[in-house]
Amino acid sequence: MEKKPHFVRREFLPREVPSISLALLLAAILLLNALLYLYLNKFYNSLGRVETDPGLCPFGHFKFGGVKNCSPWLSCEAINREVRKLKCVGEGAVKKVFLSEWKEKKVVLSQLTNSELKEDFLHGLKMLKALQSKYVVRLLGYCEQQFTVLTEYHPLGSLRRLNETLHIPKYKGMNTWHRRLMLAIDYVSIIRYLHSSPLGTLVMCDSNDLDKVLSQYLLTSDFHVLVNDLDALPLVNRSAGTLVKCGHRELRGEFVAPEQRWPYGEDVPFEDDLMPPYDEKTDIWKIPDVSNFFLGHVEGSDIVRLHLFDIHAACKQRDPAERPSAQEVLDTYRKVLTLLIREAAMPGTREML
């Protein structure tokens, strides 16, 4: 009896190769996702995702410059004896700022210049003491009798100089959409911290224009943002029906929130007593403008703006109640960063699948 020829089903072989390739691709994707998770987890911690910093000292103490042990805040006597002024580096309506030296370390000494504003100065000191955290410049000492405050020195200065700093050859590698978005996340993290601070809901009132906002924050040498000036930080207490007003003069311009502008038209002269108070959502209105400055005009920044379009549109709602919270804005920023990093790490993955 003639045997029937035995045919090998070769059609299975070509299918096995793509199956193996697909498995390898999926394994690579899982590995990249794991690496991204570890990276972003480390990144969020470096941003100060939690307020409790193991590097912080107990209340009334500080450490910096690589020193392991905590020292008590410097007293009037210690400041007068141990701190040496080097030069004046700034002056505002409330205080004059001196680059100084303490135990061969650069520090900043701030002194009241206008006695009529001593309450603002003391309020800023009170906030500085109470809000010590990853988000706030480090307090080293103070002397209430002499209206003097000593803080840590950050050589890159205020955020007003950000673009100039990023054009210095040493820092050009930082001038990317990724690093700029991280700075914006730092900024929103600070706003979120102030809105849910240990003292309650605080409003950043020294923010009537972009330049003024940027002057309130410092850029650290490792490219993070700290809030530096806390002189104008009133408290919102909804349960007590307490809202705020940022100053006693009329505020103008598109940068300030609509509720901060005189609501009765140009025919009615401004009167502080008639100006309605408002809440912390004024800070939310300003986030898109500040973030737009952070993002700049580097490659990829327009893609970031596109992903942030919806949350920024929500921030610009004229009705404060319809604006998102700082936490919601922060969550969106972090999601966008995660998405864009994943897309940059795995270009074309979707098409391959």
mmCIF file of all heavy atoms in Angstrom, residues 135 137 152-168 171 174-175 179-180 182-184 186-187 190 213-228 293-294:
data_model
loop_
_atom_site.group_PDB
_atom_site.id
_atom_site.type_symbol
_atom_site.label_atom_id
_atom_site.label_comp_id
_atom_site.label_asym_id
_atom_site.label_seq_id
_atom_site.Cartn_x
_atom_site.Cartn_y
_atom_site.Cartn_z
ATOM 1 N N TYR A 135 9.843 73.390 50.806
ATOM 2 C CA TYR A 135 9.381 74.408 49.880
ATOM 3 C C TYR A 135 9.853 75.813 50.235
ATOM 4 O O TYR A 135 9.682 76.740 49.448
ATOM 5 C CB TYR A 135 7.848 74.413 49.842
ATOM 6 C CG TYR A 135 7.251 73.069 49.540
ATOM 7 C CD1 TYR A 135 6.501 72.381 50.496
ATOM 8 C CD2 TYR A 135 7.446 72.467 48.304
ATOM 9 C CE1 TYR A 135 5.953 71.142 50.212
ATOM 10 C CE2 TYR A 135 6.896 71.225 48.022
ATOM 11 C CZ TYR A 135 6.153 70.566 48.972
ATOM 12 O OH TYR A 135 5.621 69.343 48.697
ATOM 13 N N VAL A 137 12.681 78.691 51.933
ATOM 14 C CA VAL A 137 14.095 78.949 52.173
ATOM 15 C C VAL A 137 14.433 78.666 53.640
ATOM 16 O O VAL A 137 13.627 78.897 54.536
ATOM 17 C CB VAL A 137 14.451 80.408 51.794
ATOM 18 C CG1 VAL A 137 13.802 81.410 52.750
ATOM 19 C CG2 VAL A 137 15.952 80.616 51.743
ATOM 20 N N GLU A 152 19.484 81.045 54.375
ATOM 21 C CA GLU A 152 20.484 80.398 53.529
ATOM 22 C C GLU A 152 20.656 81.169 52.219
ATOM 23 O O GLU A 152 19.700 81.742 51.679
ATOM 24 C CB GLU A 152 20.052 78.960 53.235
ATOM 25 C CG GLU A 152 21.093 78.132 52.518
ATOM 26 C CD GLU A 152 20.685 76.682 52.352
ATOM 27 O OE1 GLU A 152 19.515 76.356 52.645
ATOM 28 O OE2 GLU A 152 21.535 75.876 51.950
ATOM 29 N N TYR A 153 21.874 81.155 51.700
ATOM 30 C CA TYR A 153 22.202 81.863 50.462
ATOM 31 C C TYR A 153 22.115 80.914 49.269
ATOM 32 O O TYR A 153 22.606 79.784 49.324
ATOM 33 C CB TYR A 153 23.616 82.431 50.565
ATOM 34 C CG TYR A 153 24.166 83.008 49.280
ATOM 35 C CD1 TYR A 153 23.546 84.092 48.663
ATOM 36 C CD2 TYR A 153 25.312 82.471 48.690
ATOM 37 C CE1 TYR A 153 24.054 84.619 47.490
ATOM 38 C CE2 TYR A 153 25.827 83.001 47.515
ATOM 39 C CZ TYR A 153 25.191 84.078 46.917
ATOM 40 O OH TYR A 153 25.705 84.609 45.753
ATOM 41 N N HIS A 154 21.468 81.375 48.198
ATOM 42 C CA HIS A 154 21.382 80.616 46.949
ATOM 43 C C HIS A 154 21.941 81.473 45.820
ATOM 44 O O HIS A 154 21.313 82.450 45.409
ATOM 45 C CB HIS A 154 19.935 80.207 46.671
ATOM 46 C CG HIS A 154 19.406 79.223 47.667
ATOM 47 N ND1 HIS A 154 19.671 77.868 47.593
ATOM 48 C CD2 HIS A 154 18.661 79.395 48.795
ATOM 49 C CE1 HIS A 154 19.098 77.247 48.617
ATOM 50 N NE2 HIS A 154 18.482 78.156 49.353
ATOM 51 N N PRO A 155 23.116 81.128 45.334
ATOM 52 C CA PRO A 155 23.829 82.010 44.398
ATOM 53 C C PRO A 155 23.115 82.270 43.079
ATOM 54 O O PRO A 155 23.394 83.285 42.426
ATOM 55 C CB PRO A 155 25.162 81.273 44.170
ATOM 56 C CG PRO A 155 24.930 79.868 44.598
ATOM 57 C CD PRO A 155 23.909 79.935 45.680
ATOM 58 N N LEU A 156 22.201 81.390 42.650
ATOM 59 C CA LEU A 156 21.507 81.619 41.384
ATOM 60 C C LEU A 156 20.407 82.668 41.509
ATOM 61 O O LEU A 156 19.836 83.088 40.499
ATOM 62 C CB LEU A 156 20.935 80.307 40.843
ATOM 63 C CG LEU A 156 21.973 79.248 40.459
ATOM 64 C CD1 LEU A 156 21.300 78.019 39.866
ATOM 65 C CD2 LEU A 156 22.994 79.813 39.487
ATOM 66 N N GLY A 157 20.104 83.083 42.727
ATOM 67 C CA GLY A 157 19.190 84.198 42.935
ATOM 68 C C GLY A 157 17.734 83.873 42.662
ATOM 69 O O GLY A 157 17.304 82.711 42.698
ATOM 70 N N SER A 158 16.956 84.923 42.368
ATOM 71 C CA SER A 158 15.509 84.761 42.185
ATOM 72 C C SER A 158 15.200 84.205 40.801
ATOM 73 O O SER A 158 16.038 84.189 39.893
ATOM 74 C CB SER A 158 14.792 86.097 42.377
ATOM 75 O OG SER A 158 14.895 86.900 41.210
ATOM 76 N N LEU A 159 13.957 83.778 40.627
ATOM 77 C CA LEU A 159 13.528 83.206 39.355
ATOM 78 C C LEU A 159 13.499 84.235 38.230
ATOM 79 O O LEU A 159 13.384 83.864 37.055
ATOM 80 C CB LEU A 159 12.140 82.578 39.514
ATOM 81 C CG LEU A 159 12.090 81.270 40.307
ATOM 82 C CD1 LEU A 159 10.654 80.805 40.440
ATOM 83 C CD2 LEU A 159 12.940 80.196 39.642
ATOM 84 N N ARG A 160 13.591 85.512 38.564
ATOM 85 C CA ARG A 160 13.634 86.528 37.513
ATOM 86 C C ARG A 160 14.828 86.319 36.585
ATOM 87 O O ARG A 160 14.800 86.724 35.425
ATOM 88 C CB ARG A 160 13.683 87.934 38.121
ATOM 89 C CG ARG A 160 12.363 88.380 38.720
ATOM 90 C CD ARG A 160 12.383 89.826 39.110
ATOM 91 N NE ARG A 160 13.328 90.087 40.200
ATOM 92 C CZ ARG A 160 13.390 91.238 40.850
ATOM 93 N NH1 ARG A 160 12.582 92.228 40.517
ATOM 94 N NH2 ARG A 160 14.253 91.407 41.837
ATOM 95 N N ARG A 161 15.867 85.684 37.112
ATOM 96 C CA ARG A 161 17.093 85.492 36.337
ATOM 97 C C ARG A 161 17.160 84.121 35.673
ATOM 98 O O ARG A 161 18.216 83.707 35.188
ATOM 99 C CB ARG A 161 18.306 85.661 37.255
ATOM 100 C CG ARG A 161 18.444 87.042 37.864
ATOM 101 C CD ARG A 161 19.576 87.089 38.877
ATOM 102 N NE ARG A 161 20.824 86.556 38.321
ATOM 103 C CZ ARG A 161 21.875 86.203 39.056
ATOM 104 N NH1 ARG A 161 21.812 86.306 40.380
ATOM 105 N NH2 ARG A 161 22.969 85.751 38.484
ATOM 106 N N LEU A 162 16.046 83.386 35.658
ATOM 107 C CA LEU A 162 16.063 82.011 35.159
ATOM 108 C C LEU A 162 16.603 81.915 33.733
ATOM 109 O O LEU A 162 17.500 81.111 33.449
ATOM 110 C CB LEU A 162 14.658 81.404 35.218
ATOM 111 C CG LEU A 162 14.525 80.001 34.609
ATOM 112 C CD1 LEU A 162 15.379 78.996 35.364
ATOM 113 C CD2 LEU A 162 13.063 79.563 34.582
ATOM 114 N N ASN A 163 16.062 82.705 32.807
ATOM 115 C CA ASN A 163 16.496 82.606 31.412
ATOM 116 C C ASN A 163 17.956 82.999 31.241
ATOM 117 O O ASN A 163 18.681 82.394 30.439
ATOM 118 C CB ASN A 163 15.591 83.465 30.525
ATOM 119 C CG ASN A 163 14.203 82.851 30.377
ATOM 120 O OD1 ASN A 163 14.047 81.639 30.292
ATOM 121 N ND2 ASN A 163 13.181 83.696 30.359
ATOM 122 N N GLU A 164 18.397 83.988 31.990
ATOM 123 C CA GLU A 164 19.817 84.362 31.936
ATOM 124 C C GLU A 164 20.683 83.205 32.431
ATOM 125 O O GLU A 164 21.718 82.889 31.831
ATOM 126 C CB GLU A 164 20.067 85.598 32.802
ATOM 127 C CG GLU A 164 19.323 86.842 32.361
ATOM 128 C CD GLU A 164 19.445 87.966 33.379
ATOM 129 O OE1 GLU A 164 20.466 88.022 34.086
ATOM 130 O OE2 GLU A 164 18.519 88.783 33.470
ATOM 131 N N THR A 165 20.259 82.575 33.519
ATOM 132 C CA THR A 165 21.027 81.454 34.071
ATOM 133 C C THR A 165 21.123 80.306 33.070
ATOM 134 O O THR A 165 22.183 79.699 32.896
ATOM 135 C CB THR A 165 20.377 80.955 35.377
ATOM 136 O OG1 THR A 165 20.366 82.016 36.334
ATOM 137 C CG2 THR A 165 21.127 79.768 35.946
ATOM 138 N N LEU A 166 20.020 80.014 32.385
ATOM 139 C CA LEU A 166 19.995 78.887 31.453
ATOM 140 C C LEU A 166 20.815 79.148 30.192
ATOM 141 O O LEU A 166 21.040 78.221 29.398
ATOM 142 C CB LEU A 166 18.548 78.551 31.081
ATOM 143 C CG LEU A 166 17.728 77.888 32.199
ATOM 144 C CD1 LEU A 166 16.266 77.784 31.814
ATOM 145 C CD2 LEU A 166 18.293 76.523 32.555
ATOM 146 N N HIS A 167 21.241 80.383 29.983
ATOM 147 C CA HIS A 167 22.108 80.690 28.842
ATOM 148 C C HIS A 167 23.583 80.678 29.225
ATOM 149 O O HIS A 167 24.451 80.844 28.365
ATOM 150 C CB HIS A 167 21.718 82.037 28.232
ATOM 151 C CG HIS A 167 20.494 81.958 27.370
ATOM 152 N ND1 HIS A 167 19.229 82.203 27.852
ATOM 153 C CD2 HIS A 167 20.342 81.627 26.067
ATOM 154 C CE1 HIS A 167 18.341 82.033 26.881
ATOM 155 N NE2 HIS A 167 18.995 81.689 25.785
ATOM 156 N N ILE A 168 23.881 80.504 30.506
ATOM 157 C CA ILE A 168 25.269 80.347 30.937
ATOM 158 C C ILE A 168 25.739 78.962 30.493
ATOM 159 O O ILE A 168 25.023 77.976 30.673
ATOM 160 C CB ILE A 168 25.374 80.484 32.473
ATOM 161 C CG1 ILE A 168 24.932 81.886 32.914
ATOM 162 C CG2 ILE A 168 26.794 80.194 32.942
ATOM 163 C CD1 ILE A 168 24.830 82.048 34.427
ATOM 164 N N TYR A 171 25.051 75.829 32.498
ATOM 165 C CA TYR A 171 23.680 75.373 32.740
ATOM 166 C C TYR A 171 22.874 75.150 31.464
ATOM 167 O O TYR A 171 21.681 74.864 31.539
ATOM 168 C CB TYR A 171 22.952 76.395 33.620
ATOM 169 C CG TYR A 171 23.575 76.564 34.986
ATOM 170 C CD1 TYR A 171 24.199 77.759 35.342
ATOM 171 C CD2 TYR A 171 23.563 75.527 35.909
ATOM 172 C CE1 TYR A 171 24.784 77.918 36.597
ATOM 173 C CE2 TYR A 171 24.151 75.681 37.161
ATOM 174 C CZ TYR A 171 24.758 76.878 37.490
ATOM 175 O OH TYR A 171 25.336 77.026 38.722
ATOM 176 N N MET A 174 20.593 72.233 31.110
ATOM 177 C CA MET A 174 19.334 72.251 31.870
ATOM 178 C C MET A 174 18.197 72.885 31.069
ATOM 179 O O MET A 174 17.044 72.821 31.487
ATOM 180 C CB MET A 174 19.517 73.032 33.175
ATOM 181 C CG MET A 174 20.519 72.413 34.125
ATOM 182 S SD MET A 174 19.838 70.928 34.885
ATOM 183 C CE MET A 174 21.009 70.660 36.218
ATOM 184 N N ASN A 175 18.527 73.515 29.946
ATOM 185 C CA ASN A 175 17.527 74.285 29.199
ATOM 186 C C ASN A 175 16.720 73.382 28.283
ATOM 187 O O ASN A 175 16.773 73.482 27.050
ATOM 188 C CB ASN A 175 18.215 75.389 28.400
ATOM 189 C CG ASN A 175 17.237 76.456 27.945
ATOM 190 O OD1 ASN A 175 16.120 76.547 28.451
ATOM 191 N ND2 ASN A 175 17.656 77.270 26.995
ATOM 192 N N ARG A 179 13.317 69.772 32.093
ATOM 193 C CA ARG A 179 13.758 70.490 33.293
ATOM 194 C C ARG A 179 12.848 71.676 33.576
ATOM 195 O O ARG A 179 12.524 71.964 34.731
ATOM 196 C CB ARG A 179 15.205 70.939 33.103
ATOM 197 C CG ARG A 179 15.771 71.735 34.269
ATOM 198 C CD ARG A 179 15.758 70.965 35.563
ATOM 199 N NE ARG A 179 16.609 69.802 35.524
ATOM 200 C CZ ARG A 179 16.870 69.060 36.598
ATOM 201 N NH1 ARG A 179 16.333 69.364 37.770
ATOM 202 N NH2 ARG A 179 17.649 67.995 36.508
ATOM 203 N N ARG A 180 12.407 72.361 32.549
ATOM 204 C CA ARG A 180 11.536 73.521 32.742
ATOM 205 C C ARG A 180 10.179 73.106 33.312
ATOM 206 O O ARG A 180 9.625 73.794 34.167
ATOM 207 C CB ARG A 180 11.366 74.276 31.424
ATOM 208 C CG ARG A 180 12.593 75.128 31.041
ATOM 209 C CD ARG A 180 12.410 75.778 29.679
ATOM 210 N NE ARG A 180 13.449 76.756 29.396
ATOM 211 C CZ ARG A 180 13.381 78.049 29.697
ATOM 212 N NH1 ARG A 180 12.303 78.524 30.318
ATOM 213 N NH2 ARG A 180 14.356 78.879 29.390
ATOM 214 N N MET A 182 9.721 70.544 35.207
ATOM 215 C CA MET A 182 9.997 70.193 36.600
ATOM 216 C C MET A 182 9.986 71.445 37.491
ATOM 217 O O MET A 182 9.495 71.417 38.626
ATOM 218 C CB MET A 182 11.351 69.483 36.704
ATOM 219 C CG MET A 182 11.328 68.058 36.167
ATOM 220 S SD MET A 182 12.981 67.343 35.946
ATOM 221 C CE MET A 182 13.540 67.249 37.641
ATOM 222 N N LEU A 183 10.507 72.558 36.980
ATOM 223 C CA LEU A 183 10.467 73.812 37.742
ATOM 224 C C LEU A 183 9.027 74.290 37.924
ATOM 225 O O LEU A 183 8.655 74.780 39.003
ATOM 226 C CB LEU A 183 11.299 74.885 37.037
ATOM 227 C CG LEU A 183 12.810 74.654 37.005
ATOM 228 C CD1 LEU A 183 13.492 75.732 36.164
ATOM 229 C CD2 LEU A 183 13.402 74.635 38.417
ATOM 230 N N ALA A 184 8.215 74.148 36.878
ATOM 231 C CA ALA A 184 6.805 74.517 36.993
ATOM 232 C C ALA A 184 6.100 73.644 38.031
ATOM 233 O O ALA A 184 5.256 74.124 38.799
ATOM 234 C CB ALA A 184 6.119 74.396 35.628
ATOM 235 N N ASP A 186 7.557 72.291 40.625
ATOM 236 C CA ASP A 186 8.028 72.832 41.904
ATOM 237 C C ASP A 186 7.163 74.012 42.342
ATOM 238 O O ASP A 186 6.734 74.105 43.502
ATOM 239 C CB ASP A 186 9.477 73.313 41.770
ATOM 240 C CG ASP A 186 10.488 72.230 42.106
ATOM 241 O OD1 ASP A 186 10.077 71.113 42.472
ATOM 242 O OD2 ASP A 186 11.690 72.502 42.009
ATOM 243 N N TYR A 187 6.934 74.926 41.410
ATOM 244 C CA TYR A 187 6.151 76.130 41.715
ATOM 245 C C TYR A 187 4.734 75.768 42.161
ATOM 246 O O TYR A 187 4.242 76.260 43.194
ATOM 247 C CB TYR A 187 6.115 77.041 40.491
ATOM 248 C CG TYR A 187 5.090 78.141 40.583
ATOM 249 C CD1 TYR A 187 5.258 79.220 41.453
ATOM 250 C CD2 TYR A 187 3.928 78.104 39.812
ATOM 251 C CE1 TYR A 187 4.301 80.224 41.548
ATOM 252 C CE2 TYR A 187 2.974 79.098 39.899
ATOM 253 C CZ TYR A 187 3.167 80.157 40.767
ATOM 254 O OH TYR A 187 2.220 81.137 40.871
ATOM 255 N N ILE A 190 4.571 74.369 45.604
ATOM 256 C CA ILE A 190 4.634 75.390 46.658
ATOM 257 C C ILE A 190 3.261 76.013 46.882
ATOM 258 O O ILE A 190 2.825 76.195 48.030
ATOM 259 C CB ILE A 190 5.678 76.461 46.302
ATOM 260 C CG1 ILE A 190 7.085 75.861 46.346
ATOM 261 C CG2 ILE A 190 5.585 77.644 47.259
ATOM 262 C CD1 ILE A 190 8.163 76.771 45.796
ATOM 263 N N VAL A 213 5.917 88.130 41.067
ATOM 264 C CA VAL A 213 5.830 86.718 41.460
ATOM 265 C C VAL A 213 7.212 86.075 41.449
ATOM 266 O O VAL A 213 7.631 85.429 42.424
ATOM 267 C CB VAL A 213 4.891 85.941 40.516
ATOM 268 C CG1 VAL A 213 4.994 84.434 40.773
ATOM 269 C CG2 VAL A 213 3.452 86.380 40.708
ATOM 270 N N LEU A 214 7.931 86.250 40.352
ATOM 271 C CA LEU A 214 9.234 85.610 40.197
ATOM 272 C C LEU A 214 10.227 86.068 41.256
ATOM 273 O O LEU A 214 11.103 85.301 41.668
ATOM 274 C CB LEU A 214 9.793 85.880 38.799
ATOM 275 C CG LEU A 214 8.956 85.336 37.637
ATOM 276 C CD1 LEU A 214 9.560 85.777 36.306
ATOM 277 C CD2 LEU A 214 8.826 83.828 37.707
ATOM 278 N N SER A 215 10.080 87.302 41.720
ATOM 279 C CA SER A 215 11.002 87.833 42.728
ATOM 280 C C SER A 215 10.796 87.192 44.095
ATOM 281 O O SER A 215 11.673 87.300 44.965
ATOM 282 C CB SER A 215 10.846 89.349 42.838
ATOM 283 O OG SER A 215 9.610 89.696 43.453
ATOM 284 N N GLN A 216 9.666 86.516 44.291
ATOM 285 C CA GLN A 216 9.364 85.894 45.581
ATOM 286 C C GLN A 216 9.993 84.515 45.744
ATOM 287 O O GLN A 216 9.954 83.929 46.821
ATOM 288 C CB GLN A 216 7.846 85.751 45.777
ATOM 289 C CG GLN A 216 7.037 86.999 45.524
ATOM 290 C CD GLN A 216 7.441 88.143 46.410
ATOM 291 O OE1 GLN A 216 7.449 88.032 47.630
ATOM 292 N NE2 GLN A 216 7.795 89.261 45.806
ATOM 293 N N TYR A 217 10.574 83.990 44.660
ATOM 294 C CA TYR A 217 11.070 82.612 44.655
ATOM 295 C C TYR A 217 12.554 82.572 44.292
ATOM 296 O O TYR A 217 13.045 83.401 43.533
ATOM 297 C CB TYR A 217 10.281 81.759 43.663
ATOM 298 C CG TYR A 217 8.816 81.644 44.003
ATOM 299 C CD1 TYR A 217 7.903 82.606 43.567
ATOM 300 C CD2 TYR A 217 8.343 80.583 44.762
ATOM 301 C CE1 TYR A 217 6.553 82.510 43.888
ATOM 302 C CE2 TYR A 217 7.001 80.477 45.086
ATOM 303 C CZ TYR A 217 6.108 81.444 44.646
ATOM 304 O OH TYR A 217 4.790 81.353 44.971
ATOM 305 N N LEU A 218 13.245 81.559 44.818
ATOM 306 C CA LEU A 218 14.671 81.363 44.559
ATOM 307 C C LEU A 218 14.890 80.110 43.722
ATOM 308 O O LEU A 218 14.128 79.132 43.828
ATOM 309 C CB LEU A 218 15.439 81.212 45.877
ATOM 310 C CG LEU A 218 15.460 82.424 46.810
ATOM 311 C CD1 LEU A 218 16.066 82.039 48.153
ATOM 312 C CD2 LEU A 218 16.235 83.587 46.189
ATOM 313 N N LEU A 219 15.942 80.143 42.905
ATOM 314 C CA LEU A 219 16.376 78.975 42.160
ATOM 315 C C LEU A 219 17.597 78.395 42.862
ATOM 316 O O LEU A 219 18.604 79.083 43.042
ATOM 317 C CB LEU A 219 16.732 79.368 40.725
ATOM 318 C CG LEU A 219 17.203 78.241 39.801
ATOM 319 C CD1 LEU A 219 16.087 77.226 39.580
ATOM 320 C CD2 LEU A 219 17.678 78.811 38.466
ATOM 321 N N THR A 220 17.499 77.145 43.272
ATOM 322 C CA THR A 220 18.615 76.523 43.991
ATOM 323 C C THR A 220 19.673 76.022 43.003
ATOM 324 O O THR A 220 19.404 75.881 41.805
ATOM 325 C CB THR A 220 18.135 75.340 44.849
ATOM 326 O OG1 THR A 220 17.670 74.290 43.988
ATOM 327 C CG2 THR A 220 17.002 75.768 45.778
ATOM 328 N N SER A 221 20.842 75.713 43.512
ATOM 329 C CA SER A 221 21.944 75.263 42.660
ATOM 330 C C SER A 221 21.656 73.920 41.998
ATOM 331 O O SER A 221 22.230 73.605 40.952
ATOM 332 C CB SER A 221 23.240 75.168 43.478
ATOM 333 O OG SER A 221 23.620 76.444 43.950
ATOM 334 N N ASP A 222 20.774 73.098 42.607
ATOM 335 C CA ASP A 222 20.392 71.833 41.975
ATOM 336 C C ASP A 222 19.071 71.961 41.215
ATOM 337 O O ASP A 222 18.384 70.979 40.947
ATOM 338 C CB ASP A 222 20.320 70.701 43.003
ATOM 339 C CG ASP A 222 19.316 70.994 44.111
ATOM 340 O OD1 ASP A 222 18.816 72.135 44.200
ATOM 341 O OD2 ASP A 222 19.024 70.072 44.901
ATOM 342 N N PHE A 223 18.723 73.187 40.863
ATOM 343 C CA PHE A 223 17.577 73.511 40.010
ATOM 344 C C PHE A 223 16.240 73.060 40.575
ATOM 345 O O PHE A 223 15.495 72.308 39.963
ATOM 346 C CB PHE A 223 17.795 72.971 38.592
ATOM 347 C CG PHE A 223 18.433 73.994 37.683
ATOM 348 C CD1 PHE A 223 19.751 74.365 37.873
ATOM 349 C CD2 PHE A 223 17.709 74.628 36.684
ATOM 350 C CE1 PHE A 223 20.357 75.319 37.088
ATOM 351 C CE2 PHE A 223 18.291 75.584 35.879
ATOM 352 C CZ PHE A 223 19.619 75.945 36.076
ATOM 353 N N HIS A 224 15.945 73.565 41.763
ATOM 354 C CA HIS A 224 14.619 73.474 42.337
ATOM 355 C C HIS A 224 14.186 74.879 42.753
ATOM 356 O O HIS A 224 14.979 75.822 42.711
ATOM 357 C CB HIS A 224 14.608 72.515 43.531
ATOM 358 C CG HIS A 224 14.726 71.076 43.116
ATOM 359 N ND1 HIS A 224 13.715 70.402 42.474
ATOM 360 C CD2 HIS A 224 15.749 70.189 43.241
ATOM 361 C CE1 HIS A 224 14.095 69.173 42.225
ATOM 362 N NE2 HIS A 224 15.325 69.010 42.676
ATOM 363 N N VAL A 225 12.938 74.996 43.125
ATOM 364 C CA VAL A 225 12.361 76.295 43.460
ATOM 365 C C VAL A 225 12.010 76.334 44.938
ATOM 366 O O VAL A 225 11.459 75.366 45.482
ATOM 367 C CB VAL A 225 11.098 76.565 42.619
ATOM 368 C CG1 VAL A 225 10.472 77.906 42.998
ATOM 369 C CG2 VAL A 225 11.437 76.547 41.128
ATOM 370 N N LEU A 226 12.347 77.449 45.600
ATOM 371 C CA LEU A 226 11.976 77.687 46.989
ATOM 372 C C LEU A 226 11.257 79.021 47.082
ATOM 373 O O LEU A 226 11.618 79.985 46.391
ATOM 374 C CB LEU A 226 13.219 77.748 47.886
ATOM 375 C CG LEU A 226 14.064 76.490 48.046
ATOM 376 C CD1 LEU A 226 15.310 76.821 48.852
ATOM 377 C CD2 LEU A 226 13.266 75.393 48.735
ATOM 378 N N VAL A 227 10.247 79.103 47.934
ATOM 379 C CA VAL A 227 9.641 80.405 48.195
ATOM 380 C C VAL A 227 10.504 81.119 49.236
ATOM 381 O O VAL A 227 10.955 80.520 50.213
ATOM 382 C CB VAL A 227 8.177 80.269 48.658
ATOM 383 C CG1 VAL A 227 8.043 79.512 49.963
ATOM 384 C CG2 VAL A 227 7.518 81.637 48.765
ATOM 385 N N ASN A 228 10.716 82.413 48.993
ATOM 386 C CA ASN A 228 11.675 83.167 49.794
ATOM 387 C C ASN A 228 11.030 84.298 50.590
ATOM 388 O O ASN A 228 11.428 84.576 51.712
ATOM 389 C CB ASN A 228 12.750 83.742 48.866
ATOM 390 C CG ASN A 228 13.808 84.533 49.596
ATOM 391 O OD1 ASN A 228 14.391 84.055 50.553
ATOM 392 N ND2 ASN A 228 14.038 85.762 49.148
ATOM 393 N N PHE A 293 6.024 81.148 31.538
ATOM 394 C CA PHE A 293 7.380 81.674 31.681
ATOM 395 C C PHE A 293 8.367 80.533 31.907
ATOM 396 O O PHE A 293 9.435 80.488 31.293
ATOM 397 C CB PHE A 293 7.443 82.660 32.847
ATOM 398 C CG PHE A 293 8.853 83.009 33.256
ATOM 399 C CD1 PHE A 293 9.585 83.958 32.559
ATOM 400 C CD2 PHE A 293 9.455 82.364 34.333
ATOM 401 C CE1 PHE A 293 10.893 84.257 32.923
ATOM 402 C CE2 PHE A 293 10.762 82.665 34.711
ATOM 403 C CZ PHE A 293 11.479 83.614 33.997
ATOM 404 N N PHE A 294 8.024 79.607 32.787
ATOM 405 C CA PHE A 294 8.915 78.482 33.062
ATOM 406 C C PHE A 294 9.216 77.682 31.795
ATOM 407 O O PHE A 294 10.364 77.313 31.535
ATOM 408 C CB PHE A 294 8.297 77.542 34.096
ATOM 409 C CG PHE A 294 8.471 77.978 35.518
ATOM 410 C CD1 PHE A 294 7.375 78.185 36.334
ATOM 411 C CD2 PHE A 294 9.732 78.167 36.048
ATOM 412 C CE1 PHE A 294 7.533 78.579 37.652
ATOM 413 C CE2 PHE A 294 9.901 78.560 37.367
ATOM 414 C CZ PHE A 294 8.792 78.777 38.169
#
